[in-house]
Each structure stands twice: as structure tokens, then as C-alpha cells.
Amino acid sequence: MNDAAPAPTSASSPEPRSRARVRAPELRGRSWINTGGEELSLADLRGRTVILDFWTFCCINCLHVIDELRELEERHKDTVVVVGVHSPKFVHEAEHAAVVDAVERYGVAHPVLDDPELATWKQYAVRAWPTLVVIDPEGYVVAQHAGEGHVHAIERRVTELAAEHEAKGTLRRGLAPFTPPEPVAGELRFPGKVLALPGGTFLVSDTTRHQVVELAADGETVLRRIGSGERGLADGAAEAARFNEPQGLALLPGGEVLVADTVNHALRRLDPATGAVVTVAGTGAQWWQGAPTEGAAREVALSSPWDVAWFEGRVWVAMAGVHQLWTYDPEIGTVAAAAGTTNEGLVDGPAAEAWFAQPSGLAVAADGSRLWVADSETSALRWIERERAHGAEAAGSPGADGRSGEADGPASAGEGGGFVVRTAVGAGLFDFGHRDGAAGQALLQHPLGVTALPDGSVAVCDTYNHALRRYDPATGEVSTLATELREPSGAVLAPGASGEAEDAPEIVVVESARHRLTRLRLPEDAVRVEGVAHRTQRAATEVAPGALRLDVVFQAPAGQKLDTRYGPATRLVVSSTPPELLAEGGGTGTELHREVRLAGTEGIAGVLHVSAMAASCDEEGEYPACHMHQQDWGVPVRLTDGGADRLPLVLAGLDG
């Protein structure tokens, strides 16, 4: 997701075996989850390989890694213990109850250390979500990996460690300490999104139970469940189909429903009459850099589609996993990347050059002119529309000031042409809070849902503020409609809502952490919250003004080499917010190290955006397996006389 950690040796060198061994620091935090109340120490786990997974529950890349680890945990359950170290970005994520909820919500089946003060994060010099640290059975750190896609390398390493320590007599087999939470009764469990059907009923994605549920007009009575309730990807009748943490729902012009089946990386079509489910887009595998970004819908991989909406004659998809918007055309059965570069951040402009950060909610404006986007990781409300004449800004929009930066190439040859992305509310990856008023200074905290209102304004499910907010394009003002909701994640106007003064519209909100729908009458006079501003708890990295050496560590996993069959095996993209922070050294190159120059004097702060990729293949075999290693960092920095002149970022390996 964002930020960085220790770094390099040569990008092509194998992982060294003779370096001085470093004892793993002790695990320290507030409390433990999934252990039945027991506190764990590394001494308790001695004799088994320990994988520390540093994560935070807002981070889509972290959720990908949790899913990647499931099979490894099962295959090596008697020699490996995975320990999640929850290290929060947002203020809400530091609440213990919220972490407990997240562990259940995402099916985390291993011990989790709740570390709100980032004590263990700092001890391990971690700066990236997610980061995996491998500790051998004797308690020494042997590997570190940032980002996704490293499980194949880690599995090979833990297999080697099991054999090595079995021979030494230092391996102690046994199941990991894990006590699952007690099952909780209720009609819904962490629902995600809601859709009003023409007949007056509601469809709800019952995310944690892997189902889509139809509720009566009262929003409470269950009429039927679609999906077996078991995690999986299977088409068929309502009782046999399988989903995997479904989220967004959209009504197609023909009356069928499209479901964003998030963890299956797929779009599913649901027939409301019969409940039958058919996969219409996605391969079931996650999209990786270098994979096709357009083509036949069932032949192109997707990445964590979180919401869907019908706009401009096709389905638009909030592709949270790659920080983009895609489109799906049901008439011809194709998908295409439409907006975003896959770089994570907040950059406005032509769709193919814009940056998003986990877009998670979509809604079409009442007049059909724009598609509203809840861009969760930048705590922003944004929109996409047909490009207009230069200078034709919407009233009240703060524009893109302070949000521009270097964008790395077009999203694809898909639907990006002719569309432009703009921001109504939001400042960037690390600025968030609850503050009303003029949009240019208003703040949200990780919003997941948006709903177009009849008067042209938009309601925002301000998820981590537990609030429903409103942005009015006509005035450029942000206000608060309701508070004390619990993680609202989606909302829909109640059927028949007209917006007439004598019939104030009602809105039905998904309170995800209260496991229910809540019906609210929109007030004529919204609450005004002066509120507070926050920044992420991670301290900015102090660096010296002027020359800075940027080193990305990548050591090919044992038994692999860099894949140079089709050209350079590595790629590095560097930019900054604000753009003027980076005087020299921005742009794209093939080396994983670079000299950059930072402009400014003592106290100047900003964010360095670094995206690194490395391709590796097995050294042996007729058909070697190849892998892509990738991580995006957003590194908060502050210029300080006497600060560091080197910034090391670990992609895979250990900093030499």
C-alpha cells in the first residue's frame, strides 16, 4: 500500500546465506486476538517458522496477502505459525473493537497482535503495508518482503527451513495457537452494499457469509438467500452458487443484477427471478502488472472489484485492487481499463493519467452527467465525466490544485479517452478527519460508499467517521447528515423517494459493523461539524535537502533469477506530492536505485511516491514458473538538516 523499509544489495544477487544473523525483536502491542485471551511471545513459538504479516484492515493489498497465505498455512500447519501484526493507518483502525471486527470480517485464521502504537512495526523497521517477515525456528530474521505476490518464495523458504531444522533437531512440530471467535447469530454479518429492486425489496451483499440476501421492504425480513454460504467460485442455482466476500450490486437495463464478487476477482450476473448466478467477467485469478487490460471479459483477470454502476452505456467497476476504474460491456462481453494508472494516490486530469487509491463506491449523478467515486485510501470524494471545454469547472469544485503529479502512462486503450477525473473533497493519502464546510478544507475518513440525491448533491458513507456526509456541488459545501452509524459502507434511496419538500427522501444505509440496514429521513438542516484533522500515525522520514539516494532492495528468491527474456527485469517509477518537492530524478527507469534531488529547506514536508517491480523465474526446468514482485510506496518525508541521505525500501530480501 504505502511507505517503505530497509534496503539494497544488487538487484540480481541471490539472497545471501552468510550474513550476520539478526535476532527477531519481541512482539509488543496492546492485546492479542484469536488466542483465547492468551498472550504470545516469540519464545512460545520457538521451534517453528514464524511469518509476521504486518497489515491494516483498510488496505486492499493486505487483504490480498491474507488470502494468499491461506493455502500456505494449511499445507504447513505443523511447522509454520502466521502472526498478524495489525498496524493502523487511520484513527478508526486503532480502536480495538474495530480490529476484532476486521479479523472476523476477513476470516483471519491465525493469531493477531493489535499494535495501535506501531511498537512492533518500528522494532522491525517496517514502512510498507503489507510487509511479511520470516523468522526461523531459532528466532532469527531470515527474510522480509513488501507487497503482494511473495507467497511462492516464502513457501519455498519455509520448506527449506523445516528440512534444515529437522536435521539440526531444532524443529518443533505442532499446530499454531488459534482460537476462532464464537459464531454470532443474526440475519446479516458485515454486509457491504445494498440495491433497491423495482418491486420494493432490497438486495444486500452479506459479505462475510459469502451470500447475496433479498430483504423485504422493511429492510429486515429475509425473503431468500442466494449462495451456499461457503467461500468459493461456482455458478448455478441460488442454493448451489458460491461467492467470496461479495460487495457491489448494480441493476442492469434488462433487469438482471451484476455482483462485484470481490475476493473471486470476478463479476457475477444474478437473475432476480430465479436466483441463478453466472460468472460474466474475470478468470478467478488476480490481475498482475503486465497482464491484459482489455479483451474478452472471461479471459481478462480482474483485481478486487468493490462496486459497480451503470453509466454511459456500460458497467463501470471500482477496481480497488489496482486503483483504477474499469468498464464491462455486457452486450459484447468485454472489459477494459478506463481510468487510473495503477499508481496509488490522488491526481486529477484525463482519465488515463489520473491516480486513484482503492476506489470503493460508485453512484451516478441524478442527471446522469457524472459518476461519483468514493476513493477510500485518499479519504476523497471524486467524480468522472465526459471531458468538457477548458475551464468549464463545476461550481464549488476545488479543482486539482495540490493534487497533480507525474502519472506513468495511460491506463490502457480502453474507455479512458474523452473522460476526465476531478476531486470534490480530499487532500491525499495521509490527510483525513471529520470536518465540514468549504469542500477545499473539508475532511473525510476512508469513505466506502456514495449515493446520488435527487437535488443533485451526493451522500457519502464516511465509513471510519461512522457518519453520513453530504456534498453539494452547487455551493461547494460539505455537511453531516447523520452520526453514530457504525461503519456505513453503502446506501440507497428508499423506493419512491422523490426529494419533494413535503416528502423528504429517505435513505437506507448499510451499517456494516452493526450488521443491519438503517432507514433515515434526510434532514432539511444538516448538522455542522467543525471536527478535527488527522494524519497517519507513521512519523515522516527525516531526509536531508538536496541529494537523496533511493535504493529498492530486491534479491531474487532462492532457486530463481531475474527474468530478462523480454527486456529489463526491473522497473522503478518515482514522483512526489507536491510535484515541486522532487527537483530531479522523477519518472520511469529500469534500475532499482536512483539519485534524486529534493527541493526545499528545513521543515518542508511531502510524499515520495515510489513504484517498483521485479520479474523472476525458476533457474531450472523446461517450463520455469515466473513471478512478478511489485510494491507501491507513499513515503511521508520531512526535510531536515542532518537527515538521511539514503532511503532504503525493501521489495524482497534484507538490507545489506
Side-chain angles (χ1 to χ4, degrees), residues 113-157:
L113 174 63
D114 181 11
D115 182 21
E117 301 298 325
L118 306 183
T120 297
W121 165 286
K122 294 171 185 173
Q123 286 277 67
Y124 281 83
V126 174
R127 297 189 187 186
W129 288 294
T131 288
L132 297 170
V133 176
V134 181
I135 302 171
D136 73 12
E138 293 180 292
Y140 293 93
V141 174
V142 295
Q144 181 170 325
H145 303 266
E148 307 173 48
H150 300 292
V151 169
H152 67 280
I154 292 174
E155 180 150 28
R156 181 165 185 159
R157 196 63 188 274

Short mmCIF file of all heavy atoms in Angstrom, two decimals, residues 113-157:
data_model
loop_
_atom_site.label_atom_id
_atom_site.label_comp_id
_atom_site.label_asym_id
_atom_site.label_seq_id
_atom_site.Cartn_x
_atom_site.Cartn_y
_atom_site.Cartn_z
N LEU A 113 -1.78 -9.74 16.65
CA LEU A 113 -1.35 -8.79 17.67
C LEU A 113 -1.89 -7.42 17.30
O LEU A 113 -1.62 -6.90 16.21
CB LEU A 113 0.18 -8.75 17.74
CG LEU A 113 0.78 -7.68 18.68
CD1 LEU A 113 0.39 -7.94 20.13
CD2 LEU A 113 2.31 -7.64 18.53
N ASP A 114 -2.67 -6.82 18.18
CA ASP A 114 -3.20 -5.46 17.99
C ASP A 114 -2.13 -4.48 18.47
O ASP A 114 -1.84 -4.40 19.67
CB ASP A 114 -4.50 -5.31 18.77
CG ASP A 114 -5.13 -3.94 18.61
OD1 ASP A 114 -4.68 -3.17 17.74
OD2 ASP A 114 -6.08 -3.63 19.37
N ASP A 115 -1.53 -3.73 17.52
CA ASP A 115 -0.39 -2.87 17.83
C ASP A 115 -0.71 -1.42 17.44
O ASP A 115 -0.15 -0.89 16.47
CB ASP A 115 0.84 -3.38 17.06
CG ASP A 115 2.10 -2.58 17.34
OD1 ASP A 115 2.16 -1.90 18.39
OD2 ASP A 115 3.03 -2.63 16.51
N PRO A 116 -1.61 -0.75 18.19
CA PRO A 116 -2.06 0.58 17.78
C PRO A 116 -0.98 1.65 17.82
O PRO A 116 -1.07 2.65 17.11
CB PRO A 116 -3.19 0.90 18.77
CG PRO A 116 -2.85 0.09 19.98
CD PRO A 116 -2.26 -1.19 19.45
N GLU A 117 0.03 1.46 18.65
CA GLU A 117 1.11 2.44 18.75
C GLU A 117 2.26 2.13 17.80
O GLU A 117 3.30 2.80 17.83
CB GLU A 117 1.62 2.50 20.20
CG GLU A 117 0.57 2.87 21.23
CD GLU A 117 -0.01 4.25 20.98
OE1 GLU A 117 0.74 5.15 20.53
OE2 GLU A 117 -1.22 4.43 21.22
N LEU A 118 2.12 1.10 16.97
CA LEU A 118 3.14 0.71 15.99
C LEU A 118 4.46 0.33 16.65
O LEU A 118 5.54 0.52 16.07
CB LEU A 118 3.36 1.82 14.97
CG LEU A 118 2.14 2.35 14.22
CD1 LEU A 118 2.54 3.40 13.20
CD2 LEU A 118 1.38 1.23 13.54
N ALA A 119 4.39 -0.24 17.85
CA ALA A 119 5.61 -0.60 18.57
C ALA A 119 6.39 -1.69 17.85
O ALA A 119 7.61 -1.56 17.62
CB ALA A 119 5.27 -1.05 19.99
N THR A 120 5.72 -2.78 17.46
CA THR A 120 6.40 -3.86 16.77
C THR A 120 6.76 -3.45 15.35
O THR A 120 7.83 -3.81 14.83
CB THR A 120 5.52 -5.13 16.77
OG1 THR A 120 5.32 -5.54 18.14
CG2 THR A 120 6.18 -6.26 16.01
N TRP A 121 5.91 -2.67 14.71
CA TRP A 121 6.20 -2.11 13.38
C TRP A 121 7.55 -1.39 13.40
O TRP A 121 8.41 -1.59 12.53
CB TRP A 121 5.05 -1.18 13.02
CG TRP A 121 5.20 -0.22 11.89
CD1 TRP A 121 5.93 0.93 11.89
CD2 TRP A 121 4.57 -0.29 10.61
NE1 TRP A 121 5.79 1.58 10.69
CE2 TRP A 121 4.96 0.86 9.89
CE3 TRP A 121 3.70 -1.20 10.01
CZ2 TRP A 121 4.52 1.12 8.59
CZ3 TRP A 121 3.25 -0.94 8.72
CH2 TRP A 121 3.66 0.19 8.02
N LYS A 122 7.77 -0.53 14.41
CA LYS A 122 9.01 0.23 14.49
C LYS A 122 10.19 -0.68 14.80
O LYS A 122 11.29 -0.48 14.27
CB LYS A 122 8.87 1.31 15.57
CG LYS A 122 7.84 2.39 15.23
CD LYS A 122 7.58 3.30 16.41
CE LYS A 122 6.46 4.29 16.12
NZ LYS A 122 6.09 5.08 17.32
N GLN A 123 9.99 -1.67 15.65
CA GLN A 123 11.08 -2.58 16.01
C GLN A 123 11.61 -3.33 14.79
O GLN A 123 12.80 -3.63 14.72
CB GLN A 123 10.59 -3.59 17.06
CG GLN A 123 10.42 -3.02 18.44
CD GLN A 123 11.73 -2.97 19.21
OE1 GLN A 123 12.64 -2.22 18.86
NE2 GLN A 123 11.84 -3.79 20.24
N TYR A 124 10.73 -3.61 13.86
CA TYR A 124 11.13 -4.36 12.66
C TYR A 124 11.43 -3.43 11.48
O TYR A 124 11.64 -3.91 10.37
CB TYR A 124 10.04 -5.37 12.28
CG TYR A 124 10.08 -6.61 13.13
CD1 TYR A 124 9.48 -6.65 14.38
CD2 TYR A 124 10.75 -7.76 12.69
CE1 TYR A 124 9.52 -7.78 15.17
CE2 TYR A 124 10.80 -8.90 13.47
CZ TYR A 124 10.19 -8.91 14.71
OH TYR A 124 10.24 -10.04 15.49
N ALA A 125 11.46 -2.10 11.73
CA ALA A 125 11.77 -1.11 10.69
C ALA A 125 10.86 -1.26 9.48
O ALA A 125 11.28 -1.10 8.34
CB ALA A 125 13.23 -1.21 10.27
N VAL A 126 9.59 -1.56 9.73
CA VAL A 126 8.62 -1.74 8.64
C VAL A 126 8.08 -0.39 8.22
O VAL A 126 7.83 0.48 9.05
CB VAL A 126 7.46 -2.65 9.11
CG1 VAL A 126 6.37 -2.74 8.05
CG2 VAL A 126 7.99 -4.04 9.43
N ARG A 127 7.88 -0.20 6.91
CA ARG A 127 7.28 1.03 6.42
C ARG A 127 6.30 0.77 5.29
O ARG A 127 5.89 1.71 4.61
CB ARG A 127 8.35 2.00 5.94
CG ARG A 127 9.30 2.44 7.04
CD ARG A 127 10.19 3.54 6.53
NE ARG A 127 11.20 3.88 7.50
CZ ARG A 127 12.05 4.89 7.37
NH1 ARG A 127 11.96 5.67 6.31
NH2 ARG A 127 12.95 5.14 8.28
N ALA A 128 5.94 -0.47 5.05
CA ALA A 128 5.03 -0.75 3.94
C ALA A 128 3.91 -1.67 4.41
O ALA A 128 4.16 -2.62 5.14
CB ALA A 128 5.79 -1.41 2.79
N TRP A 129 2.71 -1.37 4.00
CA TRP A 129 1.57 -2.28 4.16
C TRP A 129 1.33 -2.96 2.82
O TRP A 129 1.12 -2.26 1.82
CB TRP A 129 0.31 -1.52 4.55
CG TRP A 129 0.27 -0.98 5.93
CD1 TRP A 129 0.24 -1.67 7.10
CD2 TRP A 129 0.19 0.41 6.28
NE1 TRP A 129 0.16 -0.80 8.15
CE2 TRP A 129 0.13 0.48 7.69
CE3 TRP A 129 0.17 1.60 5.54
CZ2 TRP A 129 0.05 1.70 8.37
CZ3 TRP A 129 0.10 2.81 6.22
CH2 TRP A 129 0.03 2.84 7.62
N PRO A 130 1.32 -4.24 2.72
CA PRO A 130 1.70 -5.23 3.74
C PRO A 130 3.20 -5.51 3.69
O PRO A 130 3.84 -5.33 2.66
CB PRO A 130 0.92 -6.47 3.30
CG PRO A 130 0.87 -6.34 1.80
CD PRO A 130 0.78 -4.86 1.50
N THR A 131 3.74 -5.99 4.80
CA THR A 131 5.11 -6.50 4.86
C THR A 131 5.09 -7.85 5.55
O THR A 131 4.41 -8.02 6.58
CB THR A 131 6.04 -5.53 5.60
OG1 THR A 131 6.27 -4.38 4.79
CG2 THR A 131 7.38 -6.17 5.91
N LEU A 132 5.81 -8.80 5.00
CA LEU A 132 5.95 -10.13 5.59
C LEU A 132 7.39 -10.32 6.05
O LEU A 132 8.33 -10.07 5.29
CB LEU A 132 5.58 -11.21 4.57
CG LEU A 132 4.13 -11.20 4.08
CD1 LEU A 132 3.95 -12.14 2.90
CD2 LEU A 132 3.18 -11.57 5.20
N VAL A 133 7.57 -10.75 7.28
CA VAL A 133 8.88 -11.03 7.85
C VAL A 133 8.93 -12.50 8.24
O VAL A 133 8.03 -12.99 8.94
CB VAL A 133 9.18 -10.14 9.07
CG1 VAL A 133 10.51 -10.52 9.71
CG2 VAL A 133 9.18 -8.66 8.67
N VAL A 134 9.97 -13.21 7.80
CA VAL A 134 10.12 -14.63 8.10
C VAL A 134 11.17 -14.79 9.20
O VAL A 134 12.29 -14.28 9.08
CB VAL A 134 10.54 -15.43 6.85
CG1 VAL A 134 10.66 -16.92 7.18
CG2 VAL A 134 9.53 -15.21 5.72
N ILE A 135 10.79 -15.51 10.26
CA ILE A 135 11.67 -15.77 11.40
C ILE A 135 11.89 -17.27 11.48
O ILE A 135 10.93 -18.06 11.47
CB ILE A 135 11.03 -15.26 12.71
CG1 ILE A 135 10.75 -13.76 12.60
CG2 ILE A 135 11.91 -15.56 13.91
CD1 ILE A 135 9.92 -13.21 13.75
N ASP A 136 13.16 -17.71 11.57
CA ASP A 136 13.44 -19.14 11.56
C ASP A 136 13.14 -19.77 12.91
O ASP A 136 12.86 -19.07 13.90
CB ASP A 136 14.86 -19.41 11.07
CG ASP A 136 15.94 -19.06 12.09
OD1 ASP A 136 15.62 -18.81 13.27
OD2 ASP A 136 17.13 -19.04 11.71
N PRO A 137 13.16 -21.11 13.01
CA PRO A 137 12.79 -21.77 14.27
C PRO A 137 13.69 -21.45 15.45
O PRO A 137 13.32 -21.73 16.60
CB PRO A 137 12.88 -23.26 13.91
CG PRO A 137 12.55 -23.31 12.45
CD PRO A 137 13.23 -22.08 11.90
N GLU A 138 14.85 -20.85 15.21
CA GLU A 138 15.73 -20.43 16.31
C GLU A 138 15.54 -18.97 16.68
O GLU A 138 16.22 -18.47 17.58
CB GLU A 138 17.18 -20.69 15.93
CG GLU A 138 17.50 -22.18 15.80
CD GLU A 138 18.95 -22.43 15.42
OE1 GLU A 138 19.34 -22.09 14.28
OE2 GLU A 138 19.69 -22.95 16.28
N GLY A 139 14.62 -18.27 15.99
CA GLY A 139 14.30 -16.91 16.37
C GLY A 139 15.07 -15.82 15.67
O GLY A 139 15.16 -14.70 16.18
N TYR A 140 15.60 -16.11 14.47
CA TYR A 140 16.35 -15.12 13.70
C TYR A 140 15.57 -14.70 12.45
O TYR A 140 14.93 -15.54 11.80
CB TYR A 140 17.72 -15.67 13.30
CG TYR A 140 18.65 -15.90 14.47
CD1 TYR A 140 18.72 -17.14 15.08
CD2 TYR A 140 19.44 -14.86 14.96
CE1 TYR A 140 19.57 -17.36 16.16
CE2 TYR A 140 20.29 -15.06 16.04
CZ TYR A 140 20.35 -16.30 16.64
OH TYR A 140 21.18 -16.51 17.71
N VAL A 141 15.65 -13.41 12.11
CA VAL A 141 15.02 -12.91 10.90
C VAL A 141 15.81 -13.40 9.69
O VAL A 141 17.03 -13.21 9.61
CB VAL A 141 14.98 -11.36 10.89
CG1 VAL A 141 14.45 -10.84 9.55
CG2 VAL A 141 14.11 -10.85 12.04
N VAL A 142 15.13 -14.03 8.74
CA VAL A 142 15.81 -14.57 7.56
C VAL A 142 15.31 -13.97 6.25
O VAL A 142 15.96 -14.15 5.22
CB VAL A 142 15.70 -16.11 7.51
CG1 VAL A 142 16.43 -16.75 8.67
CG2 VAL A 142 14.24 -16.56 7.47
N ALA A 143 14.18 -13.26 6.27
CA ALA A 143 13.69 -12.67 5.02
C ALA A 143 12.65 -11.62 5.34
O ALA A 143 11.97 -11.67 6.38
CB ALA A 143 13.09 -13.73 4.10
N GLN A 144 12.53 -10.66 4.43
CA GLN A 144 11.49 -9.64 4.52
C GLN A 144 10.98 -9.36 3.12
O GLN A 144 11.76 -9.30 2.16
CB GLN A 144 12.05 -8.36 5.14
CG GLN A 144 11.02 -7.25 5.30
CD GLN A 144 11.55 -6.09 6.13
OE1 GLN A 144 12.32 -6.29 7.06
NE2 GLN A 144 11.14 -4.89 5.79
N HIS A 145 9.65 -9.19 2.98
CA HIS A 145 9.03 -8.96 1.69
C HIS A 145 7.96 -7.89 1.85
O HIS A 145 7.13 -7.98 2.76
CB HIS A 145 8.37 -10.23 1.15
CG HIS A 145 9.30 -11.40 1.01
ND1 HIS A 145 9.94 -11.70 -0.17
CD2 HIS A 145 9.69 -12.34 1.91
CE1 HIS A 145 10.69 -12.78 0.00
NE2 HIS A 145 10.56 -13.18 1.25
N ALA A 146 7.96 -6.91 0.97
CA ALA A 146 6.92 -5.88 0.98
C ALA A 146 6.00 -6.09 -0.21
O ALA A 146 6.44 -6.45 -1.31
CB ALA A 146 7.53 -4.49 0.92
N GLY A 147 4.70 -5.88 0.00
CA GLY A 147 3.74 -6.00 -1.09
C GLY A 147 3.19 -7.41 -1.23
O GLY A 147 3.30 -8.25 -0.33
N GLU A 148 2.59 -7.64 -2.39
CA GLU A 148 1.93 -8.92 -2.67
C GLU A 148 2.80 -9.82 -3.54
O GLU A 148 3.83 -9.41 -4.04
CB GLU A 148 0.62 -8.67 -3.41
CG GLU A 148 -0.32 -7.69 -2.79
CD GLU A 148 -1.49 -7.40 -3.71
OE1 GLU A 148 -2.09 -8.36 -4.22
OE2 GLU A 148 -1.80 -6.22 -3.94
N GLY A 149 2.32 -11.05 -3.70
CA GLY A 149 2.93 -11.94 -4.68
C GLY A 149 4.18 -12.66 -4.23
O GLY A 149 4.91 -13.21 -5.06
N HIS A 150 4.46 -12.68 -2.94
CA HIS A 150 5.70 -13.28 -2.46
C HIS A 150 5.50 -14.67 -1.85
O HIS A 150 6.47 -15.29 -1.41
CB HIS A 150 6.34 -12.39 -1.40
CG HIS A 150 6.70 -11.02 -1.89
ND1 HIS A 150 7.70 -10.80 -2.81
CD2 HIS A 150 6.19 -9.80 -1.58
CE1 HIS A 150 7.80 -9.49 -3.05
NE2 HIS A 150 6.89 -8.87 -2.33
N VAL A 151 4.26 -15.14 -1.81
CA VAL A 151 4.00 -16.38 -1.08
C VAL A 151 4.75 -17.57 -1.69
O VAL A 151 5.20 -18.47 -0.98
CB VAL A 151 2.48 -16.65 -0.99
CG1 VAL A 151 2.20 -18.06 -0.49
CG2 VAL A 151 1.84 -15.64 -0.05
N HIS A 152 4.91 -17.59 -3.03
CA HIS A 152 5.66 -18.69 -3.64
C HIS A 152 7.08 -18.75 -3.11
O HIS A 152 7.62 -19.83 -2.85
CB HIS A 152 5.67 -18.53 -5.16
CG HIS A 152 6.44 -17.34 -5.63
ND1 HIS A 152 5.93 -16.06 -5.61
CD2 HIS A 152 7.71 -17.23 -6.10
CE1 HIS A 152 6.84 -15.21 -6.06
NE2 HIS A 152 7.92 -15.89 -6.37
N ALA A 153 7.72 -17.59 -2.94
CA ALA A 153 9.09 -17.55 -2.43
C ALA A 153 9.12 -17.91 -0.95
O ALA A 153 10.03 -18.63 -0.49
CB ALA A 153 9.69 -16.16 -2.65
N ILE A 154 8.14 -17.43 -0.20
CA ILE A 154 8.11 -17.73 1.23
C ILE A 154 7.86 -19.22 1.46
O ILE A 154 8.46 -19.84 2.35
CB ILE A 154 7.03 -16.87 1.92
CG1 ILE A 154 7.47 -15.40 1.89
CG2 ILE A 154 6.78 -17.34 3.35
CD1 ILE A 154 6.43 -14.44 2.40
N GLU A 155 6.99 -19.81 0.65
CA GLU A 155 6.71 -21.25 0.81
C GLU A 155 7.97 -22.07 0.57
O GLU A 155 8.25 -23.03 1.29
CB GLU A 155 5.60 -21.69 -0.11
CG GLU A 155 5.28 -23.17 0.03
CD GLU A 155 3.82 -23.49 -0.25
OE1 GLU A 155 3.20 -22.77 -1.03
OE2 GLU A 155 3.31 -24.48 0.31
N ARG A 156 8.74 -21.71 -0.44
CA ARG A 156 9.98 -22.42 -0.69
C ARG A 156 10.92 -22.28 0.50
O ARG A 156 11.58 -23.23 0.91
CB ARG A 156 10.64 -21.89 -1.96
CG ARG A 156 11.93 -22.60 -2.32
CD ARG A 156 12.35 -22.30 -3.73
NE ARG A 156 13.53 -23.08 -4.11
CZ ARG A 156 13.88 -23.35 -5.35
NH1 ARG A 156 13.13 -22.92 -6.35
NH2 ARG A 156 14.97 -24.04 -5.60
N ARG A 157 10.97 -21.07 1.06
CA ARG A 157 11.87 -20.83 2.19
C ARG A 157 11.44 -21.60 3.43
O ARG A 157 12.27 -22.18 4.14
CB ARG A 157 11.92 -19.33 2.50
CG ARG A 157 13.09 -18.94 3.39
CD ARG A 157 14.41 -19.24 2.69
NE ARG A 157 15.56 -19.06 3.55
CZ ARG A 157 16.18 -17.90 3.74
NH1 ARG A 157 15.74 -16.82 3.14
NH2 ARG A 157 17.23 -17.84 4.51
#
